[in-house]
Amino acid sequence: MKQNQTLQYVIQLIGWTIVFTFPLFFVWKEAEPMTWTRYIGYAFVPVTFAVIFYANYFLFIDRLLFRQRLPHFLAANLLLFILLTLLLDWWHDYYFFEIAGNTPRHKAGPPKMMFILRDATMMALTAALSVAIKMTANWYITENERKELEKARTEAELQNLKSQLNPHFLFNTLNNIYSLIAIDADRAQYAVHNLSHLLRHVLYEDKHPLIPLDKELDFMRNYIDLMSLRLSDKVDLQVSFPTRAEGTLIAPLLFITLVENAFKHGISPTAASHIHIALDVEPAGIVACRIENSNHPKQDNDRSGSGIGLPNLRKRLELLYPGRHTLRAGIEGDVYIARLQINTCKP
């Protein structure tokens, strides 16, 4: 904001410098160069315009116009116009006869009212210019404040979504470990140890707006390893991740919701099931994730989790990657397929 104000003042300084130095590049009559006496006669007019400009810029616009006191604003300008017009008229007479040394016969020409109307018109245009510049500057300030508020709102909403995601993730994971305890206590103990690594990622990496994709892939591998402990031989689990994804940054915990849903809804205790997870890094920073699983929806009485995962993910993507992502999820035939594509490069 301070930089914008400095730039405005620099531009104004340049503009007034041009106005006040303009006559120094010309002569009024042939073989008669500009003298200080002639320059003083010229400079008094732009001085009155400067008074009009800054009286509006620093006083009338802020205290009257922006406070919706338009009649008072117009009256203040009208009074200032009258005072400065009378002062200019007096100055012209004083300068013409007392300083320039002319006589009345040299004053023959257009009537005085024409000069008064000319000066008043220029004053009105100067006041209008001041209003235009002030309102433009105020618009920039308001727009910057709006962007800051929008940024703060977005960050607050993201934080709120994260605060929903972490308990949801933990609840689903603990529910799976609870189921595993009845099957194999040793594997359940290993699962708890593995869960500690997952929570470290959730608690620490999640604090950063962007993290290396490699770390997110490691987190997903650990989660899949933990979930696979309770899979039977009837489940076909296939995972395909790039070996390295250096240089790619992404928001944390975007893919875990889709992986969770695959394990939650893609496994049947009796029928053959499959979960196929693939993630690729394509050219131009495109990260594409495809998850396919057999469709075994939970019964209404199974309330593990709260069903906020996918809506939460959609909201986060809209906030983090507006116009730079596609998410499609639904049943195709007898399988459930989720496709998520993110353009990690800023436009």
Side-chain angles (χ1 to χ4, degrees):
M1 187 179 299
K2 291 183 178 180
Q3 292 179 345
N4 290 337
Q5 290 180 345
T6 302
L7 180 60
Q8 293 172 26
Y9 293 146
V10 169
I11 293 175
Q12 292 176 27
L13 178 61
I14 293 174
W16 288 117
T17 300
I18 293 173
V19 170
F20 278 95
T21 59
F22 183 78
L24 300 180
F25 300 99
F26 300 92
V27 295
W28 289 6
K29 296 180 181 179
E30 285 190 14
E32 289 191 19
M34 175 66 67
T35 63
W36 281 109
T37 301
R38 297 179 187 277
Y39 180 76
I40 291 174
Y42 161 82
F44 196 82
V45 175
V47 165
T48 59
F49 295 160
V51 171
I52 290 287
F53 182 91
Y54 287 109
N56 279 275
Y57 193 86
F58 290 114
L59 188 63
F60 297 161
I61 297 175
D62 288 333
R63 297 190 178 185
L64 300 177
L65 185 60
F66 285 171
R67 296 183 181 180
Q68 299 182 349
R69 300 169 63 184
L70 182 60
H72 296 82
F73 172 77
L74 295 176
N77 271 286
L78 181 60
L79 179 60
L80 187 59
F81 291 170
I82 293 173
L83 292 175
L84 291 178
T85 298
L86 294 175
L87 183 61
L88 270 179
D89 181 62
W90 169 83
W91 170 254
H92 287 155
D93 290 341
Y94 177 78
Y95 170 81
F96 196 82
F97 296 114
E98 301 296 333
I99 299 178
N102 294 316
T103 58
R105 59 188 178 85
H106 291 103
K107 200 178 179 182
K112 179 184 293 188
M113 184 57 63
M114 182 176 294
F115 293 103
I116 294 176
L117 291 176
R118 178 201 65 185
D119 293 339
T121 301
M122 293 300 298
M123 290 180 187
L125 292 175
T126 302
L129 178 62
S130 179
V131 171
I133 293 176
K134 187 71 173 183
M135 293 189 71
T136 301
N138 191 65
W139 179 86
Y140 276 111
I141 293 173
T142 303
E143 184 67 11
N144 287 335
E145 291 176 349
R146 186 194 66 79
K147 289 180 179 179
E148 289 296 325
L149 289 174
E150 180 67 18
K151 181 180 178 181
R153 185 196 67 81
T154 300
E155 291 177 351
E157 188 170 352
L158 278 171
Q159 190 61 39
N160 180 54
L161 292 173
K162 287 180 181 179
S163 67
Q164 297 175 21
L165 174 65
N166 291 348
H168 172 262
F169 162 80
L170 179 60
F171 184 89
N172 285 345
T173 305
L174 289 176
N175 189 67
N176 285 323
I177 294 176
Y178 175 79
S179 301
L180 186 62
I181 292 175
I183 302 173
D184 190 326
D186 292 335
R187 287 196 296 171
Q189 185 177 6
Y190 171 78
V192 172
H193 177 73
N194 199 4
L195 176 60
S196 67
H197 294 286
L198 296 177
L199 291 179
R200 185 177 294 110
H201 180 90
V202 171
L203 293 175
Y204 296 106
E205 299 299 340
D206 193 30
K207 302 299 182 182
H208 304 288
L210 296 174
I211 64 171
L213 181 58
D214 284 332
K215 289 188 176 182
E216 190 69 11
L217 293 177
D218 289 339
F219 169 73
M220 292 171 63
R221 290 189 187 97
N222 289 332
Y223 179 82
I224 293 170
D225 288 343
L226 189 151
M227 293 296 101
S228 64
L229 291 176
R230 62 184 291 245
L231 298 183
S232 67
D233 295 336
K234 294 182 179 180
V235 179
D236 174 27
L237 174 63
Q238 298 180 20
V239 180
S240 175
F241 289 160
T243 55
R244 307 195 66 161
E246 291 183 350
T248 303
L249 298 176
I250 198 161
L253 302 178
L254 290 178
F255 306 104
I256 193 61
T257 296
L258 303 179
V259 177
E260 276 187 290
N261 286 345
F263 280 97
K264 181 178 178 182
H265 302 291
I267 301 173
S268 170
T270 57
S273 309
H274 72 273
I275 298 175
H276 298 164
I277 303 171
L279 188 144
D280 296 307
V281 180
E282 301 175 358
I286 303 296
V287 177
C289 179
R290 174 188 170 95
I291 300 179
E292 177 183 322
N293 58 269
S294 46
N295 185 37
H296 299 291
K298 298 295 183 182
Q299 300 297 322
D300 292 339
N301 59 357
D302 183 357
R303 300 185 179 276
S304 59
S306 55
I308 67 170
L310 200 57
N312 187 310
L313 175 60
R314 293 187 187 278
K315 290 180 181 179
R316 289 189 69 205
L317 288 170
E318 286 295 332
L319 293 171
L320 294 168
Y321 299 98
R324 295 191 287 135
H325 76 278
T326 56
L327 173 60
R328 297 183 179 90
I331 299 175
E332 299 182 17
D334 59 348
V335 299
Y336 188 92
I337 300 178
R339 301 181 183 89
L340 174 57
Q341 189 176 78
I342 300 174
N343 182 359
T344 61
C345 297
K346 291 185 178 181

